[in-house]
Amino acid sequence: MIKNLDTAYKVQGIIGILVVVFYTTQGQALASGYGFFVGLVNIAMLQWTFARANKKAAEDPKAGMLILYTSAVIRFILLAVLFVLGLSYLDQSEAFPVIITFVLMQIGQLFNLKGKRRLTD
């Protein structure tokens, strides 16, 4: 499980770096870099949560699922706060690179889900 997350982490990191390089050529490196940062925070939280959930699920499967559900709520709120903070400090014209960088990095998560029925497989 953790190995798969490491692969997804690498794929998302590569996608993020490529998008940041592209936006750097457009003069929007800071905005794209912030989107990259938000994506990395999301990946790190997901990886940390899966490790905790797997460890807890060995003792109590319901507790492991509770950790995953709680993590989803926390990550949703954290990402909303990070986006609001970042976009409030950037120019309005720089919102697009932040969002595009983050979204493209999240698409990289599809490589982790290939061939799975559930997220926890």
Side-chain angles (χ1 to χ4, degrees), residues 55-92:
K55 186 188 263 186
K56 193 69 167 176
E59 301 166 11
D60 182 11
K62 288 183 181 181
M65 289 303 296
L66 181 62
I67 289 172
L68 291 176
Y69 289 132
T70 305
S71 166
V73 171
I74 292 169
R75 283 185 300 117
F76 181 78
I77 293 168
L78 177 65
L79 292 175
V81 168
L82 287 174
F83 275 117
V84 167
L85 288 174
L87 295 176
S88 67
Y89 287 108
L90 294 169
D91 291 337
Q92 191 172 8

Side-chain angles (χ1 to χ4, degrees), residues 15 19 41 47 58 90 93 102:
I15 291 170
V19 176
V41 168
Q47 188 172 20
L90 294 169
S93 64
F102 176 78

